Amino acid sequence: MSKSRKFYLEDIPLDEAWRRFITAMESSGAWARVPGEELPLEKALGRVTAAPVWAALSSPGYHASAMDGYAVRSADTLGATETAPKRLRIGPERQAEYVDTGDPIPSWADAVIQIEHTQNVDEGAAGKFIEILASVAPWTAVRPMGEDMVATELVLPANHLLKPVDLGALSGCGHATVSVRRRPRVAVIPTGTELVTVEQAAQSGLKSGDIIEYNSLVLASQVRQWGGEPTRYPIVVDDYERIRDKVREAAATHDLILVNAGSSAGSEDFTASIVEELGTLLVHGVAIRPGHPVVLGTVTDRRTPIIGVPGYPVSCALTGEIFVEPLISHWLGLPQRKKPGLKAVISRKLLSPMGEDEWVRVTVGRVGKRTVAAPLSRGAGVITSLVRADGIVRIPRFSEGVEAGQEVTVELYRDPADIDRTIVHIGSHDLCLDILAQYLADDGLLFSSANAGSLGGLTALRRGDSHLAGSHLLDPSTGEYNIAYVRQYLPSTPVVVMTFMHREQGLIVAPGNPKGIRGLADLARDDVRFVNRQRGAGTRVLLDYHLNRLGMKHEEVKGYRREEYTHLAVAVAVQSGAADCGLGIAAAAHALELDFIPFEKERYDLVIPRIHYESPLLKPLFDLIHGPVLRKAISDLPGYDITAMGNIVIEL
């Protein structure tokens, strides 16, 4: 057996992978619920009961007064009316005795009269009395013994997640401790020679090839959130023996081992081979995306379950949701956690691998009467797609994907109520949208923005998929921005076109402009590599317009077909050396400390269907646009002009 390379054994369906995993754990006893441990009540919040809890004492343990007043015999009150009040002696004859709320009532009494329904009368030598104006029924204002709980009564069942009120009930019926399931112990082992800690990166910086290790932080936090007890191991370099020894060590004291990275089929992916050496390899490769190269198995004589977790951040996080969360829930005796779900229409066509279940991250918003799900980046390395996601859509195997406008089920990461507070923007990317989103968040609103380009934004408006679209489409025949395109793409939709700002477009180049690039004509040079925006982006339309004016063909521009979806992505390509220049905005160049060669000041508009323009949902957005706070924040950025911000260009 080679220790340096392990190809997929199989590429099997998710339900079959689970069947193999569960069968192996059942045979070794690892599928059983984790045992209980006794905890004091003050430490038991959020834990799961390991056994039924029966009341040790009755509560209350005596007949108790339910309010401040006088304990009486109900029979002594008969006949009392407003016209014929009745007096009851306080004292030796035991007709009335004062009690506070919670006091035991005397053995001779069977009711309590509220103090505000009595009048004290002092007749000197004759004694003290209360005067009442109405009779009371037996057991009025009395909490009978055992009203809340009776000794030996079931208070809480096993497998119950303890809430604050549960702890009060346990204490009230005589329990100072409770048996709860031990937290499943989960070892998280990050592997990879290229990994560095965030502390190391902060202290010494990152050199080429270094990657900050945070998958173990995500996995450990997931485990803790789901009720487990994680142990986050230090980074282990790509060395077969070291990883094997660490797995063997973890298996001795943990219920589950998560080995992060090393599950693929590369020259330094050792997980599958290590599982084979130490135990039983059950699965290597599951028909899911992201998360395809998952490893499932058991190791050592204890037959501890082990999961080889893919190294890409999204694959890692979703592997936790797909495999780790259900396993921890089972061990704790809890039903598998279900995210709230809702139906939505997908905003654009998605193709999906034929033989794999795919999980697609989406943002969600209510646009008119429709709930719209806009897909985010599907890259397995884009952890921010999970940060921005409102939910996730599962595309089943053999479905080939979904068409634009098709109804899908979204499993929500957020409270469903948030969806009604979400403003949906689909269109051109700009950094100012992030600033706008932050200020809207201060007002309790969510701003969901999908970068689809200016033409993609107008198409989304036509389908009714968004509330507004950012656009900066230059009409070559008139030199005007957006109007001709709005007329073409939204001919029957009443819209308002509002200027958001003007901004500088230009060439983003490396610091010091080492290639000496002066303008678009230099894109034809053999030594200049360009990075473009995607088809339909306003920046791409602008580029094509100026190339045409210069008489340049697309084929002359090296990198014309390399596409990025945001200005920052273009800037990163230049910063990394993957390209010598790209067309973008000044703020993106400034953000990454790159140089900028301006050549066009363009108008960036918000295109808003009138039905949404007049809706209460968008009013806070317009208040910000017309107010001083957002204006100052944008004017402080390089390359922006807010003189016309909020002006209505045209109403169609």
Side-chain angles (χ1 to χ4, degrees):
M1 176 190 70
S2 170
K3 294 182 179 180
S4 63
R5 192 169 180 83
K6 186 66 189 179
F7 292 98
Y8 295 136
L9 298 181
E10 297 178 273
D11 187 19
I12 65 172
L14 179 60
D15 55 355
E16 170 64 13
W18 263 115
R19 187 194 64 77
R20 293 187 188 183
F21 203 28
I22 291 172
T23 299
M25 286 188 286
E26 285 177 335
S27 67
S28 66
W31 186 242
R33 305 278 193 256
V34 290
E37 59 183 2
E38 203 74 18
L39 284 185
L41 296 184
E42 63 268 18
K43 295 183 178 180
L45 181 65
R47 302 294 291 272
V48 180
T49 54
V53 183
W54 310 89
L57 302 172
S58 295
S59 177
Y62 50 83
H63 300 318
S65 175
M67 56 192 61
D68 298 343
Y70 287 90
V72 298
R73 296 184 190 88
S74 58
D76 292 342
T77 69
L78 295 176
T81 66
E82 291 186 9
T83 56
K86 205 163 195 181
R87 291 185 177 182
L88 301 177
R89 182 185 295 276
I90 302 172
E93 294 185 12
R94 292 186 173 180
Q95 287 184 301
E97 183 176 317
Y98 180 78
V99 287
D100 286 319
T101 301
D103 283 350
I105 65 171
S107 58
W108 51 267
D110 66 355
V112 173
I113 302 176
Q114 291 177 247
I115 192 169
E116 54 264 39
H117 293 166
T118 66
Q119 181 70 43
N120 285 79
V121 179
D122 188 345
E123 300 228 347
K128 295 182 178 180
F129 299 82
I130 59 168
E131 188 172 82
I132 61 173
L133 305 179
S135 61
V136 293
W139 300 104
T140 297
V142 174
R143 294 189 63 213
M145 179 177 176
E147 177 191 53
D148 192 357
M149 292 170 282
V150 177
T152 74
E153 179 182 1
L154 178 66
V155 181
L156 294 173
N159 305 324
H160 178 83
L161 188 66
L162 288 167
K163 304 182 292 295
V165 292
D166 299 326
L167 303 180
L170 292 175
S171 179
C173 70
H175 289 281
T177 63
V178 62
S179 177
V180 296
R181 296 204 183 279
R182 172 178 60 75
R183 295 186 188 276
R185 295 186 287 261
V186 181
V188 182
I189 305 174
T191 69
T193 304
E194 73 281 9
L195 300 179
V196 297
T197 67
V198 66
E199 292 81 10
Q200 290 171 326
Q203 182 176 5
S204 306
L206 289 174
K207 60 179 182 292
S208 180
D210 284 350
I211 298 175
I212 295 176
E213 196 289 302
Y214 57 79
N215 280 346
S216 67
L217 175 63
V218 173
L219 285 169
S221 299
Q222 286 179 322
V223 166
R224 186 173 288 108
Q225 180 182 29
W226 298 329
E229 187 63 47
T231 303
R232 190 178 169 203
Y233 279 68
I235 296 167
V236 183
V237 298
D238 287 319
D239 179 88
Y240 184 94
E241 283 73 21
R242 291 188 188 184
I243 299 172
R244 180 198 59 198
D245 292 347
K246 196 60 66 175
V247 167
R248 183 185 285 121
E249 173 191 319
T253 54
H254 292 84
D255 303 298
L256 174 66
I257 303 168
L258 306 178
V259 178
N260 181 227
S263 64
S264 294
S267 61
E268 294 182 335
D269 293 321
F270 301 125
T271 305
S273 297
I274 288 170
V275 173
E276 274 195 324
E277 179 181 341
L278 296 182
T280 303
L281 179 62
L282 302 166
V283 171
H284 187 189
V286 181
I288 58 175
R289 187 182 297 260
H292 189 225
V294 170
V295 170
L296 303 177
T298 59
V299 293
T300 74
D301 293 340
R302 295 182 68 243
R303 301 182 70 179
T304 304
I306 184 170
I307 300 176
V309 181
Y312 276 123
V314 175
S315 300
C316 170
L318 288 178
T319 297
E321 293 185 18
I322 295 168
F323 289 100
V324 181
E325 180 180 8
L327 185 51
I328 290 176
S329 293
H330 170 79
W331 278 335
L332 291 173
L334 294 172
Q336 185 176 342
R337 292 170 174 83
K338 294 290 185 183
K339 301 180 184 71
L342 84 169
K343 298 290 186 182
V345 294
I346 204 78
S347 67
R348 62 180 173 85
K349 182 176 182 178
L350 292 175
L351 296 176
S352 192
M354 275 287 291
E356 296 180 331
D357 291 303
E358 182 174 15
W359 278 259
V360 178
R361 289 83 74 194
V362 296
T363 61
V364 184
R366 199 96 61 200
V367 183
K369 296 182 179 179
R370 307 168 79 221
T371 302
V372 178
L376 292 164
S377 171
R378 297 163 85 179
V382 187
I383 189 69
T384 51
S385 67
L386 282 175
V387 175
R388 294 176 56 205
D390 296 316
I392 198 159
V393 173
R394 180 177 178 179
I395 302 177
R397 301 175 69 218
F398 308 120
S399 66
E400 298 186 30
V402 293
E403 296 290 335
Q406 183 175 332
E407 188 176 74
V408 294
T409 298
V410 182
E411 296 179 25
L412 289 174
Y413 289 130
R414 304 190 190 279
D415 188 319
D418 289 345
I419 305 306
D420 292 320
R421 298 185 294 105
T422 299
I423 297 173
V424 179
H425 168 270
I426 299 177
S428 173
H429 169 255
D430 190 272
L431 277 65
C432 295
L433 296 174
D434 295 332
I435 299 174
L436 180 62
Q438 179 56 54
Y439 284 119
L440 286 170
D442 292 342
D443 288 334
L445 292 174
L446 301 173
F447 186 80
S448 166
S449 184
N451 303 320
S454 296
L455 287 177
L458 297 183
T459 302
L461 289 180
R462 185 172 61 195
R463 291 197 304 260
D465 289 346
S466 64
H467 295 111
L468 71 165
S471 181
H472 57 109
L473 291 164
L474 177 64
D475 181 1
S477 62
T478 65
E480 175 63 79
Y481 278 91
N482 298 318
I483 305 302
Y485 293 92
V486 171
R487 293 184 189 277
Q488 177 185 349
Y489 280 83
L490 301 166
S492 58
T493 303
V495 299
V496 175
V497 180
M498 173 188 288
T499 296
F500 191 26
M501 41 56 192
H502 286 77
R503 63 185 190 178
E504 289 280 2
Q505 283 268 25
L507 288 173
I508 299 172
V509 297
N513 192 9
K515 290 291 179 76
I517 297 168
R518 292 171 295 180
L520 291 181
D522 289 320
L523 300 186
R525 286 166 41 187
D526 289 339
D527 64 333
V528 173
R529 297 165 300 157
F530 182 72
V531 57
N532 207 351
R533 289 293 306 281
Q534 82 277 19
R535 184 176 300 179
T539 300
R540 173 110 162 218
V541 173
L542 180 66
L543 172 70
D544 291 345
Y545 169 71
H546 282 284
L547 290 179
N548 184 59
R549 290 184 64 187
L550 291 169
M552 292 175 59
K553 296 181 180 180
H554 301 162
E555 293 78 10
E556 298 178 62
V557 179
K558 296 169 186 61
Y560 180 88
R561 298 193 182 281
R562 178 181 175 181
E563 299 179 346
E564 296 292 351
Y565 278 78
T566 68
H567 295 281
L568 282 174
V570 169
V572 166
V574 175
Q575 183 192 48
S576 68
D580 298 310
C581 66
L583 193 59
I585 57 176
H590 182 266
L592 297 186
E593 299 180 344
L594 301 170
D595 283 359
F596 183 75
I597 305 166
F599 75 86
E600 178 88 9
K601 187 176 183 180
E602 65 176 8
R603 194 180 75 226
Y604 183 102
D605 293 333
L606 299 177
V607 183
I608 313 152
R610 179 163 290 281
I611 189 172
H612 304 314
Y613 181 79
E614 296 173 347
S615 72
L617 179 65
L618 266 62
K619 183 179 183 303
L621 182 147
F622 299 137
D623 289 343
L624 281 169
I625 287 175
H626 292 292
V629 177
L630 180 65
R631 287 168 174 260
K632 183 178 187 311
I634 293 178
S635 65
D636 287 344
L637 296 175
Y640 287 101
D641 179 356
I642 62 165
T643 304
M645 178 180 282
N647 290 354
I648 302 300
V649 178
I650 196 169
E651 299 185 38
L652 299 172

